[in-house]
């Protein structure tokens, strides 16, 4: 061994020097070995002796290949051979058949004092753990997980356990740092992946993670997890963990490892787990973002493909490149029918040009646009659609437009109904006032003509007959004027119909016979016996039928056939009509006339709209208003050259009652005093003469308070009035309703008649409900006055 002592200190004895360097080498965990020039072991340190000698016995004197290769003739050349052959040194990573693991072998030559190599010294370092860590780090550095893949995070946890040589690890997402409830993303336990679950982190671990970047525990005396929990079977002595933090520093998860033995090299392990945690946090954030995007895409697809609206994606030139599946339901086309075609191929020709130009200009400027147009369905029907177009530029720079369009045909029809009703209400306000004043004037004219006829009839013919003929012509003109005011008042404010339950068949039959008297047009009817009774104002519905029949007659100047058909009709939630659900009687009036142009069809129910030279434009407006006030509806369809069909929907009643009012056809004379309250002097004059002609004495007043005073004085004088006629409306004074109340308070048996130019006022429609004994609508003549007086007497 003297050769080994070259370079020893002179102050030390050779034995002391040997002991010192042997002690130094024995303290190393690496395996140190000295060989002679033939490769025979001449000395080993404690590290190799403790590992190998228990297996093969003392090493000195054996060839170095025996402890490492188990043979003197290994398959691969050992790293020592080059140095034994004269190389200056050798540093090689290798593996040995007899000792598991990875090793780093360093060999250096040993020389005597003459510089002659007599052997080698080698150091064998176990790098198994380092290799394992390097391999794990290499994997996380080079791994490129598929988007949204959970596999990467699972393998990350597995590789962490392999790197730190621990059996258990958990990676979990944290919704809120305020609560320790997590959702595990990956669990590794004893070489296999566990089932993910909702997991409450132990409070000690959770609180430590919130305060610092990592937590560590050793030599645990009590179980970390409850025995009945999914992790209760884990044998744990120590743990190490760290929080996963997002880009803003917020804690988004936890990464923990657990071991049944103390974790080795704790500082190295902490660095490694921090490295894995950083990669896990990044991938977890990416996963959450991908999940959110996937959820958003699924929601978007569900909304788009199941929305009521039709959604179309077009190119910048308008070609359809995506159409939602509901196009089959909305337009009747399959998606293949529209793809590749221009959206404007389906737009009505009248709107196609302007809308196409606006579309292209707005898309070019990336500006949104709204438009309303008609689209043609596969059944060749034109329906109204409201569209919103949103242009945007894709990631590759292509401009596309997204059209969200909704069928508004029914809404547009209802809106037209609303506008039409608003027009009628506006006209009604005006018509009511005009009709009232006009009826007052007409009453004076109408009544005076009647009186003039009676006076003239007493003259000697033929002069008297000629005058009577002229007076009758004037009377007929007054009757036509009265009919006109009735039409105005039909949709005037307060024009409530006086309804009764009756059969619509009798109204139709009587009205048609009257309306077509002297006409060359033929009329056919189909009126089944089982028609439901209807709740209507007979006079107003007769006026409706008359208006429609006369229109049909005038639409066929060369003759033709009018077809009137009635049937029972049930309205339910699926019926596209602005009607309440229930029973209705449907009446259609169809002709073979010239038809109505499309641009006129939307206006025919408007007040004063007419295409006739002598028409007033109130016939169909009155028809519409009457049907509306009855809770019914009227529709029209027409085709140029093929005729027009009007359809009425009248509410049905559950019972049938008839009203037979017997009225006298001749004048009935009377006696006594009658009180008349009216603010028009002309009305007072002519009404007084008519009442005198019937045998009555008359007192007049123009105000309600005066009327009450006259009435009470007459009763007190013992000469009461047999009847009182009150005008319903006295401008600036007390009207008929308040005057009636005061008279009735004094004399409950008083017989009071109400009169008004507002013939359709609710008081006139239901006079008895307001306490009146009867009513008479202006204008009226002597016969009308006689009838109402005979009724109350």
């Amino acid at each position: 061994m003297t050769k080994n002592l070259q370079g020893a200190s002179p102050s030390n004895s050779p034995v002391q020097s040997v002991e010192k360097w042997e002690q130094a080498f024995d303290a190393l965990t690496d395996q140190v070995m000295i060989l002679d020039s033939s490769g025979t072991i001449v000395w080993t340190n404690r590290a190799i002796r403790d590992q190998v000698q228990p297996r093969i016995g003392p090493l000195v004197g054996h060839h170095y290949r025996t402890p490492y290769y188990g043979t003197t003739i290994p398959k691969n050349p050992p790293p020592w051979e080059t140095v034994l052959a004269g190389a200056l040194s050798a540093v090689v990573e290798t593996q040995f058949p007899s000792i598991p693991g990875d090793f780093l072998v360093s060999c250096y030559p040993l020389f005597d004092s003459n510089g002659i190599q007599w052997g080698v010294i080698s150091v064998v370092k176990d790098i198994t753990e380092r290799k394992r860590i390097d391999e794990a780090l290499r994997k996380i550095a080079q791994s490129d997980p598929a988007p949204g893949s959970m596999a990467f995070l699972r393998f990350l946890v597995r590789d962490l356990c392999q790197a730190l040589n621990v059996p258990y690890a958990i990676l979990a997402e944290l919704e809120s740092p305020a609560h320790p409830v997590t959702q595990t993303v990956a669990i590794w336990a004893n070489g296999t992946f566990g089932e993910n679950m909702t997991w409450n982190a132990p409070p000690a671990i959770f609180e430590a993670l919130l305060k610092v970047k990592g937590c560590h525990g050793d030599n645990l005396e009590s179980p970390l997890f409850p025995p009945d929990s999914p992790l209760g079977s884990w044998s744990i002595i120590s743990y190490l963990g760290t929080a996963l933090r997002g880009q803003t520093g917020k804690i988004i998860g936890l990464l923990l490892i657990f071991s049944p033995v103390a974790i080795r090299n704790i500082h190295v392990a902490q660095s490694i787990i921090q490295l894995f945690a950083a990669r896990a946090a990044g991938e977890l954030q990416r996963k959450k973002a991908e999940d959110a995007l996937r959820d958003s895409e699924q929601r978007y697809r569900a909304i788009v493909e199941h929305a009521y609206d039709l959604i179309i994606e077009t190119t910048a030139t308008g070609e359809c490149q995506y159409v939602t599946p509901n196009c089959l339901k909305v337009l009747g086309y399959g998606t293949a029918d529209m793809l590749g075609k221009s959206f404007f191929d389906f737009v009505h020709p009248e709107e196609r040009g302007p809308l196409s130009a606006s579309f292209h200009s707005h898309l070019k400027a990336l500006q949104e646009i709204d438009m309303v147009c008609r689209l043609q369905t596969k059944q060749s029907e034109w329906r109204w659609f409201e569209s919103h177009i949103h242009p945007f530029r894709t990631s590759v720079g292509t401009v596309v437009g997204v059209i969200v369009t909704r069928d508004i045909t029914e809404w547009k029809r209802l809106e037209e109904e609303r506008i039409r009703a608003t027009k009628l209400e506006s006209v009604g306000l005006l018509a009511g006032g005009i009709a009232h004043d006009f009826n007052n004037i007409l009453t004076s004219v109408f009544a005076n003509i009647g009186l003039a006829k009676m006076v003239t009839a007493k003259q000697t013919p033929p002069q008297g007959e000629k005058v009577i003929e002229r007076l009758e012509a004037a009377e007929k003109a007054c009757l036509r004027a009265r009919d006109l005011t009735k039409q105005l008042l039909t949709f005037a404010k307060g024009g409530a119909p006086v309804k009764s339950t009756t059969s619509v068949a009798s109204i139709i039959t009587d009205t048609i016979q009257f309306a077509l008297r002297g006409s060359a047009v033929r009329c056919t009817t189909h009126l089944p016996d089982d028609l439901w009774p209807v709740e209507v104002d007979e006079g107003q519905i007769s006026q409706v039928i008359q208006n429609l029949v006369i229109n049909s007659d005038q639409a066929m100047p060369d003759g033709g056939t009018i077809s009137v058909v009635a049937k029972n009709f049930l309205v339910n939630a699926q019926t596209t009509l602005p009607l309440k659900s229930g029973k209705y009687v449907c009446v259609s009036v169809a002709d073979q006339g010239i038809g109505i142009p499309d641009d006129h069809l939307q206006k025919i129910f408007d007040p004063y709209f007419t295409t006739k030279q002598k028409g007033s434009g109130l016939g169909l407006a009155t028809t519409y208003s009457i049907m509306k006030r009855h809770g019914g509806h009227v529709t029209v369809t027409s085709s140029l050259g093929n005729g027009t069909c009007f359809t009425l929907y009248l509410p049905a009643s559950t019972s049938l009652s008839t009203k037979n009012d017997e009225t006298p056809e001749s004048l009935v004379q009377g006696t006594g005093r009658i009180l008349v309250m009216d603010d028009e002097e002309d009305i007072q004059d002519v009404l007084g003469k008519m009442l005198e002609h019937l045998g009555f004495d008359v007192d007049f007043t123009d105000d309600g308070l005066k009327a009450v005073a006259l009435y009470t004085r007459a009763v007190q004088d013992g000469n009461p009035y047999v009847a009182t006629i009150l005008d319903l409306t006295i401008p600036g004074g007390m009207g008929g309703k308040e005057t009636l109340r005061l008279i009735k308070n004094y004399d409950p048996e008083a017989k009071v008649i109400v009169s008004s130019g507002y013939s359709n006022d609710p008081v006139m429609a239901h006079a008895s409900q307001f306490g009146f004994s009867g009513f008479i609508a202006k204008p009226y003549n002597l016969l009308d006055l006689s009838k109402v007086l005979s009724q109350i007497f």
Side-chain angles (χ1 to χ4, degrees), residues 363-375:
L363 248 69
K364 186 176 181 180
L366 293 178
Q367 295 176 342
E368 296 186 1
I369 178 178
D370 293 315
M371 64 184 186
V372 176
C373 64
R374 286 167 288 179
L375 298 180

Side-chain angles (χ1 to χ4, degrees), residues 63 77 102 108 120 137 143 194 254 296 313 346 349 389 395 402 422 433 446 448 450 459 480 523 569 613 634 741:
H63 198 277
D102 293 282
Y108 302 95
V120 299
L137 296 179
S143 297
L254 312 173
S296 176
E313 182 181 297
F346 303 92
I389 304 172
S395 58
V402 174
T422 302
F446 195 30
N448 276 306
Q459 296 181 0
R480 287 196 299 271
C523 182
F569 187 80
Q613 292 182 353
V634 56
R741 186 182 66 81

Side-chain angles (χ1 to χ4, degrees), residues 124-362:
V124 178
K125 184 177 185 65
D126 189 339
I127 59 171
T128 304
E129 184 175 349
R130 194 199 75 188
K131 291 279 287 186
R132 183 174 61 250
I133 294 173
D134 288 347
E135 179 64 18
L137 296 179
R138 184 189 64 78
K139 285 182 179 179
I140 68 168
Q142 296 180 358
S143 297
D144 187 14
S149 173
M150 288 290 294
F152 176 80
L153 293 171
R154 287 160 61 90
F155 292 149
L156 194 72
V157 172
R158 181 200 63 186
D159 294 341
L160 175 62
C161 287
Q162 292 177 353
L164 298 181
N165 196 25
V166 294
Y168 311 113
I170 293 177
L171 173 62
E173 287 184 279
L174 181 66
E175 289 296 328
S176 170
H179 304 287
V181 180
T182 69
Q183 177 63 45
T184 64
V185 176
I187 299 177
W188 181 258
N190 289 322
T192 184
F193 292 109
E195 293 292 331
N196 284 319
M197 60 183 175
T198 300
W199 181 58
N200 289 342
I205 293 178
F206 187 74
E207 292 172 5
L209 288 175
L210 294 180
K211 296 177 182 178
V212 295
K213 290 187 177 181
C215 62
H216 173 234
D218 262 333
N219 301 319
L220 302 179
E221 297 180 357
S222 59
L224 194 58
F225 307 118
D228 57 347
S229 71
L231 310 182
S233 61
W234 290 7
S235 299
I236 299 173
I237 296 297
S238 64
Y239 65 84
L240 181 65
T242 185
L244 306 183
R245 297 182 182 271
Q247 294 178 346
T248 62
K250 177 184 176 182
I251 296 177
I252 61 172
L254 312 173
L255 180 60
L256 295 157
I257 60 170
F258 305 92
S259 176
V261 298
I263 298 173
R264 298 169 55 191
N265 300 325
I266 192 65
H267 296 296
V268 175
Q270 286 175 333
S271 298
I272 292 172
I273 200 172
Q274 290 292 342
L275 182 62
F276 274 78
R279 186 64 189 274
E283 293 302 327
L284 193 60
Q285 279 195 308
R286 189 170 75 127
K287 170 186 170 296
K288 291 170 72 74
E290 290 172 351
D291 289 345
L293 178 61
R294 189 180 301 107
D295 291 343
S296 176
E297 289 175 347
Q298 290 175 350
R299 281 194 299 270
Y300 168 77
R301 183 171 295 278
I303 292 171
V304 166
E305 295 190 354
H306 296 89
Y308 172 78
D309 296 341
L310 176 61
I311 302 175
I312 303 171
E313 182 181 297
T314 71
T315 63
T317 56
E319 283 76 25
C320 302
Q321 58 185 17
Y322 172 78
V323 182
T324 49
N326 64 335
C327 66
L328 184 63
K329 181 179 179 181
V330 177
L331 291 174
Y333 300 107
T335 54
D337 297 331
M338 299 187 70
L339 295 179
K341 296 181 180 177
S342 173
F343 172 76
F344 295 96
D345 290 344
F346 303 92
V347 176
H348 196 281
E350 293 179 2
E351 299 137 12
R352 186 177 300 158
L355 290 180
S356 177
S358 178
F359 171 86
H360 289 101
S361 63
H362 279 80

